[in-house]
Amino acid sequence: MPTPIQLELSRRKLLVSSAATVAVAGAAKDVRAADIRGKALQNTTAVALEVNGETQHLVLDNRTTLLDALREHLHLTGTKKGCDHGQCGACTVIVDGRRINSCLSLAVMHEGSKIQTIEGLGQPGNLHPMQAAFVKHDGFQCGYCTPGQICSSVAVLEEIKANIPSHVTANLTEQAAITSAEIRERMSGNICRCGAYSNIIDAIIEIAGVPA
Amino acid sequence: MKAFSYERASTVEGAAKAAAQTPNAKFIAGGTNLLDLMKLEIETPSHLIDVNGLGLDTIEKTAEGGIRIGALVRNTDLAADNSVRRDYGLLSRALVAGASGQLRNRATTAGNLLQRTRCPYFYDSNQPCNKRQPGTGCSAIGGVTRQLGVVGVSDACIATHPSDMAVAMRALDAVIETIKPDGAKRAIPIADFHRLPGDTPHIETALDHGELITSVVLPAPIGGKHIYRKTRDRASYAFALVSVAAVIQADGRGKVAVGGVAPKPWRAEAAEDELRKGAHALASALLADARPTQQNDFKISLTERTLSAVLAEARG
C-alpha cells in the first residue's frame, strides 16, 4: 500500500507525462504548410513577458489574448474578463506604464513587455494606496470591475501628471489639472454596472490629493 | 477565433513582402479593432504580421514645415505631442474625443485610418451584409439606421466610417505614405484614401494588396482657430452621430470636414466657399446629395446645428 505522499508523486508524474503527450500531438498539428517563402507557419509562438516583476516564458496558441494568458496560463485571476471586446474595461492592466485593455491584445505581441496587474499593485496587508482608498470610500459593490477600475485609476493620475490631454481639458497648451471632470472623462472606459462611480471618483480624488 | 500563424516583422520592406507572399495575411499593430473583429470571425486572417517592431513611432518635422507622423504613433502620443497641440489643435481634440484612454494607448495612427465601420449589421454575422460578405445584400437598408450614413452611401451599403482622427486629418489635408511589396513608395492624399461604397463596399481604401502605411504627413500649419465638435449619445466613449472638424481663419474662410455622416470623412472643398454665408449655406452645400432614411434624416439638421456652434465658437 503506497503512502499518500508516494501516491501524490506518481499522480504528478502521470500528469506531467500526459501533458507532454498532449503538447507533442499539439505541436504536430500546429505546423501548417509552409508559405511560398518556405517559412513554416505555426499556430503557436514562444513569448517572454515580465509580469509583476517576474519573467514568464510561455508557448502560446497565437490566439491567446494577454487577458487569457494572465488568467488561464499564469493563474492571475485578479484581472477580469467582462465583455472581451474592449468596451467595459474590466480587463485593464498596465503595460510598459500604460493602461490597456488586455482582452484586445495578443499575448505574443508583448515579447519583453512589463505588465502590471492588480496582484502586482498591492497584496493583502500591503495594499496600494489606491486599493485602500477604494475600500475606504466603498468604491465598489459586486467588485467585478474593481481590479480594472483600480489599474485605470492609478494610470489616469500618471497620465494627467504626464500632461496627456483629455476631451475636457480646456486649454491644450496648458498642463491638465486634476479635477473631478477630468477624472470622470478619463475613467469612461471602465464601466461599473453597480453604479459605484461617485465613490470611485472620491477614492481617486483622495489619492490625487486635491479637493473634489 | 480562427487559428492563424504569426510573425514579427523587423523591416517595413520585409513586412510588405510577407503580406504579399502569405495567403490571407494581415498586418496587426494596436489590434484594438482587428482582434475585436477576429473574435467575431468577421475578420479571419490565416496569418498575422506584427508590425509593432518596425519603429515608425516618431513625429518629425518635414522640409516643407509640416510634420511626418509615424504609422505606429499611438493615438495618445499623437494627441499629447506639443507640436500637434500647438499647430494642429483639432487633431489633438479629435483624438481625445474618440474611444477610451485604454484604447488610445494602443491604437495607432495607421490603424485608426483603417478601422472598420461599427454598423450593427456588419457586426451581426447572422444577417446579410455586402461589406462583410459581398453580394449578400444590405440589412441596414430598411433596418435600424439611426446611426448610419446620409451622404456618399449607395444601394449596397449605408455604413459610416467611425474615425474621429481621420475627420481632422481630412480638414488638415493629410497625405498618407505607403510602401508596396515591391518596395515602391507612394503618397495618397487623404481625400483619395477612403473609397465610397458604390457596389463594392468591401473595398474600403485605395491600398493595394500587401501595401503598408508608413506615415501620415501634415502640411505646414495654417493657423486659424482649430475646433473639433462631436455630437453623440453619451458625453464620453461613444461614436459620433455628427462631428465637425474645422480650421476657421480670421476672415471667415476655412476648411471643414464632417464625421458620422458618410462612409469616409466628408468634405467638399467647393462647399467651403459658402462658409462666410453661415452654417445653413455650408451644410446645404456639403450635404446637397444626401439621401437619409426616415430614422437618420435628423443628421442633416444636426450637421447644420453643429456647424453653427463651431462657427460661433470660431467667432468667440
Side-chain angles (χ1 to χ4, degrees), chain B residues 222-225 247-254 276 314-315:
Chain B
I222 53 168
K225 283 220 173 172
V247 182
I248 308 292
Q249 303 295 345
D251 66 0
R253 292 178 201 280
R276 291 197 283 184
R315 283 191 300 270

Side-chain angles (χ1 to χ4, degrees), chain B residues 3-305:
Chain B
F4 56 87
S5 48
Y6 168 87
E7 72 180 288
R8 298 176 185 127
S10 51
T11 64
V12 287
E13 295 80 7
K17 220 175 254 178
Q21 293 180 347
T22 318
N24 197 19
K26 264 191 126 52
F27 301 116
I28 187 164
T32 52
N33 186 217
L34 181 58
L35 279 172
D36 182 25
L37 294 168
M38 284 170 65
K39 288 179 184 195
L40 297 167
E41 298 189 358
I42 292 165
E43 294 272 13
T44 53
S46 16
H47 185 69
L48 283 186
I49 300 159
D50 182 346
V51 295
N52 286 293
L54 297 184
L56 305 177
D57 58 352
T58 56
I59 301 169
E60 287 160 9
K61 284 209 165 99
T62 64
E64 294 73 31
I67 57 172
R68 175 171 283 107
I69 305 159
L72 291 166
V73 172
R74 309 284 158 176
N75 287 180
T76 296
D77 296 314
L78 185 54
D81 181 78
N82 282 331
S83 65
V84 174
R85 291 159 87 148
R86 187 185 61 236
D87 299 329
Y88 308 96
L90 81 166
L91 176 56
S92 208
R93 288 286 182 205
L95 283 158
V96 295
S100 67
Q102 290 96 314
L103 290 168
R104 292 192 295 269
N105 280 341
R106 278 304 284 172
T108 63
T109 305
N112 191 314
L113 289 170
L114 293 171
Q115 67 177 304
R116 310 209 55 194
T117 186
R118 298 318 195 277
C119 173
Y121 298 98
F122 174 70
Y123 265 78
D124 182 354
S125 49
N126 293 309
Q127 306 214 38
C129 169
N130 286 322
K131 193 184 271 301
R132 182 165 27 78
Q133 273 184 301
T136 55
C138 174
S139 306
I141 296 172
V144 178
T145 56
R146 182 172 174 274
Q147 296 275 352
L148 302 178
V150 297
V151 69
V153 295
S154 74
D155 290 337
C157 183
I158 59 170
T160 56
H161 193 269
S163 174
D164 291 294
M165 182 198 81
V167 182
M169 285 185 170
R170 179 71 180 87
L172 290 168
D173 297 305
V175 174
I176 293 141
E177 296 183 324
T178 70
I179 184 165
K180 292 192 187 191
D182 65 2
K185 294 177 180 179
R186 65 171 173 153
I188 310 167
I190 191 167
D192 305 327
F193 184 77
H194 294 104
R195 292 173 41 131
L196 291 180
D199 53 9
T200 54
H202 58 292
I203 303 171
E204 295 173 349
T205 70
L207 292 181
D208 289 339
H209 179 61
E211 189 170 4
L212 177 70
I213 298 175
T214 52
S215 50
V216 176
V217 171
L218 298 183
I222 53 168
K225 283 220 173 172
H226 286 226
I227 300 168
Y228 188 77
R229 192 176 182 103
K230 181 172 178 177
T231 311
R232 46 184 160 174
D233 285 334
R234 294 189 299 268
S236 184
Y237 200 16
F239 289 99
L241 288 167
V242 168
S243 68
V244 169
V247 182
I248 308 292
Q249 303 295 345
D251 66 0
R253 292 178 201 280
K255 298 167 184 262
V256 177
V258 181
V261 296
K264 61 190 279 185
W266 197 250
R267 182 175 171 198
E269 278 80 346
E272 288 161 11
D273 293 340
E274 305 295 313
L275 241 176
R276 291 197 283 184
K277 293 185 198 154
H280 179 72
L282 177 59
S284 303
L286 262 173
L287 302 177
D289 300 323
R291 31 179 285 190
T293 68
Q294 275 190 335
Q295 290 170 27
N296 69 17
D297 65 353
F298 74 94
K299 287 193 176 186
I300 306 289
S301 50
L302 188 58
T303 301
E304 181 181 328
R305 289 172 191 171

